[in-house]
Amino acid sequence: MSLPQPRRPLIVCSLAAILLCTVLCALCTATLLRPWGIRGLGGLLLLPGFLGLGLTQYAGTFQGKAARAETVARLYGFMGGFMLIVLVCVLFDIARSGKQPPWPVLALGAGLVIASVWGRIGSRLNREWAEELYRFEGEQEGEQEGEDPTAVRRGPRAVWVSTFVAFVAITGAFYWAMGPRQGEHVEAPATPFILPPEASDVSYYMYTGNTLFEFTVPEKTFLAWAEGRIQQQQSEFEGMKPVEEPVTIPTCRSEQPDAPPPHEIVVGEGYYHEWQEGGQRVRYAYDCSTGRAYYASTREVTGKGR
């Protein structure tokens, strides 16, 4: 008697789960290769779980191991129920606020709906498959020893090969994306920032939670751009104030030890505003003598911003 073969819906669901685990494992591996702050520790703690889930799904579906299929079915059921609870909490929050939710909240809600449905379907498919495998094992117990079914239980080699290739490629992509991003004297469209249309001669640096950039722009344009951004984060903000005493703000070169000076700029005539937000020191500055705007968000612990 040959081992039962998984049905197509289960195969599709399993391949999707393995792909998702591969992406998450690649993300965790990239954070270990480029560790900073709590991110590296998070990758180290989460990697075994994602790896174990992917291997368990593979063993249950493609190697025909009933216990593994049952374990995955329970994990799917837990995931679907948990995501449903989170979705209900998000909907209650939206209803209580009485405002049109922004697109990140809508994207989160859509993701929760998909995860809940996927958990429900995946749990049912894996549970039915586990029951079929258990019945097969029960029928095998009373029969004489025949052909060893372990050859059928090895699983398709193509899944292993394609998963490994995808893991290496995705890890490389995440590793590159997490690396330093920098540019000197480039045009605004070539940067990862949303800058005013009049912005030119942009220099920037992004890495390890620090973001610094500078650009040339007219004074009125800077004030409108900076005040609009700050008001989104500080409801009590009343507008940029002129500099009363010279202030110092780091440039994008301050995070590059080998870069030539200047690493800091002293603004004596212009505008300046800073505040502390979640462990980040955020600073906006404009030097009227040069027409240069400066932004710095660095991981520092300072007192209250001005």
Short mmCIF file of all heavy atoms in Angstrom, two decimals, residues 15 18 22 58 154-169:
data_model
loop_
_atom_site.label_atom_id
_atom_site.label_comp_id
_atom_site.label_asym_id
_atom_site.label_seq_id
_atom_site.Cartn_x
_atom_site.Cartn_y
_atom_site.Cartn_z
N LEU A 15 3.24 25.30 0.24
CA LEU A 15 4.30 26.04 -0.44
C LEU A 15 4.28 27.52 -0.06
O LEU A 15 5.33 28.15 0.09
CB LEU A 15 4.16 25.87 -1.96
CG LEU A 15 4.47 24.48 -2.51
CD1 LEU A 15 4.19 24.43 -4.01
CD2 LEU A 15 5.90 24.07 -2.22
N ILE A 18 5.81 27.74 3.38
CA ILE A 18 7.26 27.56 3.32
C ILE A 18 7.93 28.80 2.75
O ILE A 18 9.00 29.24 3.22
CB ILE A 18 7.60 26.31 2.48
CG1 ILE A 18 7.13 25.05 3.22
CG2 ILE A 18 9.09 26.24 2.19
CD1 ILE A 18 7.25 23.78 2.40
N THR A 22 10.54 31.17 4.61
CA THR A 22 11.83 31.45 3.98
C THR A 22 12.14 32.94 4.00
O THR A 22 13.25 33.36 4.32
CB THR A 22 11.85 30.93 2.53
OG1 THR A 22 11.59 29.52 2.52
CG2 THR A 22 13.18 31.21 1.87
N TYR A 58 6.89 21.27 5.85
CA TYR A 58 7.46 20.41 4.81
C TYR A 58 7.33 18.94 5.19
O TYR A 58 6.92 18.10 4.38
CB TYR A 58 8.92 20.77 4.57
CG TYR A 58 9.59 19.91 3.54
CD1 TYR A 58 9.50 20.21 2.19
CD2 TYR A 58 10.31 18.78 3.91
CE1 TYR A 58 10.11 19.41 1.23
CE2 TYR A 58 10.92 17.97 2.97
CZ TYR A 58 10.82 18.30 1.62
OH TYR A 58 11.42 17.49 0.68
N ARG A 154 10.63 11.01 1.38
CA ARG A 154 11.75 11.94 1.34
C ARG A 154 11.33 13.33 0.87
O ARG A 154 11.98 14.31 1.19
CB ARG A 154 12.83 11.40 0.40
CG ARG A 154 13.52 10.15 0.95
CD ARG A 154 14.52 9.62 -0.05
NE ARG A 154 15.14 8.40 0.45
CZ ARG A 154 15.97 7.65 -0.26
NH1 ARG A 154 16.25 7.98 -1.53
NH2 ARG A 154 16.49 6.56 0.25
N GLY A 155 10.29 13.40 0.13
CA GLY A 155 9.81 14.70 -0.34
C GLY A 155 10.51 15.12 -1.61
O GLY A 155 11.61 14.65 -1.93
N PRO A 156 9.89 16.00 -2.37
CA PRO A 156 10.48 16.45 -3.64
C PRO A 156 11.73 17.29 -3.42
O PRO A 156 11.73 18.24 -2.64
CB PRO A 156 9.35 17.27 -4.27
CG PRO A 156 8.51 17.72 -3.12
CD PRO A 156 8.59 16.63 -2.09
N ARG A 157 12.80 16.92 -4.15
CA ARG A 157 14.05 17.66 -4.01
C ARG A 157 13.92 19.09 -4.54
O ARG A 157 14.62 20.00 -4.08
CB ARG A 157 15.15 16.92 -4.77
CG ARG A 157 16.53 17.58 -4.67
CD ARG A 157 17.59 16.74 -5.35
NE ARG A 157 17.72 15.44 -4.70
CZ ARG A 157 18.57 14.50 -5.11
NH1 ARG A 157 19.32 14.72 -6.19
NH2 ARG A 157 18.64 13.34 -4.47
N ALA A 158 13.02 19.30 -5.49
CA ALA A 158 12.87 20.63 -6.07
C ALA A 158 12.46 21.66 -5.02
O ALA A 158 12.84 22.83 -5.10
CB ALA A 158 11.83 20.59 -7.19
N VAL A 159 11.68 21.22 -4.02
CA VAL A 159 11.26 22.15 -2.97
C VAL A 159 12.47 22.61 -2.17
O VAL A 159 12.64 23.79 -1.86
CB VAL A 159 10.21 21.49 -2.06
CG1 VAL A 159 9.85 22.43 -0.90
CG2 VAL A 159 8.96 21.15 -2.86
N TRP A 160 13.36 21.67 -1.83
CA TRP A 160 14.56 22.01 -1.07
C TRP A 160 15.45 22.96 -1.86
O TRP A 160 15.92 23.99 -1.34
CB TRP A 160 15.36 20.75 -0.72
CG TRP A 160 14.83 20.00 0.45
CD1 TRP A 160 14.15 18.82 0.44
CD2 TRP A 160 14.92 20.39 1.83
NE1 TRP A 160 13.81 18.44 1.72
CE2 TRP A 160 14.27 19.38 2.59
CE3 TRP A 160 15.48 21.47 2.49
CZ2 TRP A 160 14.19 19.43 3.97
CZ3 TRP A 160 15.39 21.53 3.88
CH2 TRP A 160 14.75 20.51 4.60
N VAL A 161 15.69 22.62 -3.12
CA VAL A 161 16.61 23.42 -3.94
C VAL A 161 16.06 24.83 -4.14
O VAL A 161 16.77 25.83 -3.96
CB VAL A 161 16.86 22.73 -5.29
CG1 VAL A 161 17.69 23.62 -6.20
CG2 VAL A 161 17.55 21.39 -5.09
N SER A 162 14.80 24.93 -4.54
CA SER A 162 14.21 26.25 -4.79
C SER A 162 14.13 27.07 -3.52
O SER A 162 14.33 28.29 -3.54
CB SER A 162 12.82 26.09 -5.42
OG SER A 162 11.97 25.34 -4.58
N THR A 163 13.84 26.42 -2.39
CA THR A 163 13.78 27.14 -1.12
C THR A 163 15.15 27.68 -0.74
O THR A 163 15.27 28.83 -0.27
CB THR A 163 13.26 26.22 -0.01
OG1 THR A 163 11.94 25.77 -0.34
CG2 THR A 163 13.20 26.95 1.32
N PHE A 164 16.19 26.88 -0.93
CA PHE A 164 17.55 27.33 -0.60
C PHE A 164 17.96 28.50 -1.49
O PHE A 164 18.52 29.49 -1.00
CB PHE A 164 18.53 26.17 -0.75
CG PHE A 164 19.96 26.57 -0.51
CD1 PHE A 164 20.43 26.78 0.78
CD2 PHE A 164 20.84 26.76 -1.57
CE1 PHE A 164 21.74 27.17 1.01
CE2 PHE A 164 22.15 27.15 -1.35
CZ PHE A 164 22.60 27.35 -0.06
N VAL A 165 17.68 28.40 -2.78
CA VAL A 165 18.02 29.49 -3.70
C VAL A 165 17.27 30.77 -3.31
O VAL A 165 17.84 31.87 -3.29
CB VAL A 165 17.72 29.09 -5.15
CG1 VAL A 165 17.88 30.28 -6.09
CG2 VAL A 165 18.62 27.94 -5.59
N ALA A 166 15.98 30.62 -3.01
CA ALA A 166 15.19 31.79 -2.61
C ALA A 166 15.71 32.39 -1.31
O ALA A 166 15.79 33.61 -1.16
CB ALA A 166 13.72 31.39 -2.45
N PHE A 167 16.11 31.52 -0.37
CA PHE A 167 16.64 32.01 0.92
C PHE A 167 17.90 32.84 0.71
O PHE A 167 18.05 33.93 1.27
CB PHE A 167 16.92 30.83 1.84
CG PHE A 167 17.67 31.20 3.09
CD1 PHE A 167 17.01 31.82 4.14
CD2 PHE A 167 19.02 30.94 3.20
CE1 PHE A 167 17.71 32.17 5.29
CE2 PHE A 167 19.72 31.29 4.35
CZ PHE A 167 19.07 31.92 5.39
N VAL A 168 18.83 32.33 -0.10
CA VAL A 168 20.07 33.06 -0.35
C VAL A 168 19.79 34.39 -1.05
O VAL A 168 20.35 35.44 -0.67
CB VAL A 168 21.04 32.20 -1.19
CG1 VAL A 168 22.27 33.01 -1.59
CG2 VAL A 168 21.45 30.95 -0.42
N ALA A 169 18.92 34.37 -2.06
CA ALA A 169 18.62 35.59 -2.81
C ALA A 169 17.92 36.63 -1.93
O ALA A 169 18.27 37.82 -1.95
CB ALA A 169 17.76 35.26 -4.02
#
